[in-house]
Amino acid sequence: MNFVAILFLSVVTIIFLLGIFRTFRMSKISVGLIEKYENDKKNPALIDDIFSEINKDFFLARVFKRNFGEKKDIELLHKKLMKWGDFRKYNRYVPITSFFNVNTLDYLLKHKNDDAQKLTEKVMNHFHI
């Protein structure tokens, strides 16, 4: 019985640590893109970088494929988010950070045809901005 409990605790600990590591990695990528494009927000290379990072991450790529996402969707959503959410609060910048969270990416792709203000407000509420 002790062996099973130790094994279970070990597995839960490993899953927890992997989740924390992924969260820090996504945060680092997001902040890096925010700082890189802070003074050049309309650079088309930003969309390429976001698309590339989404496809590198297992969970984000699954959400992207499940919603039949394309690169043009990122460009459209980015423009909508820039309209109402073009400001930075600490390490959060809605037009970039929202693509690196599974829940917000899923919401954005499912509601890509919605009004820009509604999309931005939903994302800002998620990030408590």
Side-chain angles (χ1 to χ4, degrees), residues 63-80:
V63 168
F64 202 66
K65 289 176 186 171
R66 182 176 3 143
N67 290 301
F68 305 105
E70 298 176 2
K71 193 174 184 178
K72 66 180 180 179
D73 294 332
I74 294 174
E75 187 173 354
L76 170 74
L77 291 167
H78 185 264
K79 285 180 184 176
K80 286 184 176 187

Side-chain angles (χ1 to χ4, degrees), residues 21-35:
F21 174 74
R22 182 189 169 279
T23 302
F24 282 137
R25 188 172 53 87
M26 287 291 105
S27 178
K28 182 179 177 184
I29 291 168
S30 177
V31 171
L33 288 176
I34 291 168
E35 290 175 356

Side-chain angles (χ1 to χ4, degrees), residues 1-11:
M1 186 65 179
N2 263 348
F3 177 74
V4 174
I6 292 172
L7 182 65
F8 177 74
L9 185 61
S10 299
V11 169

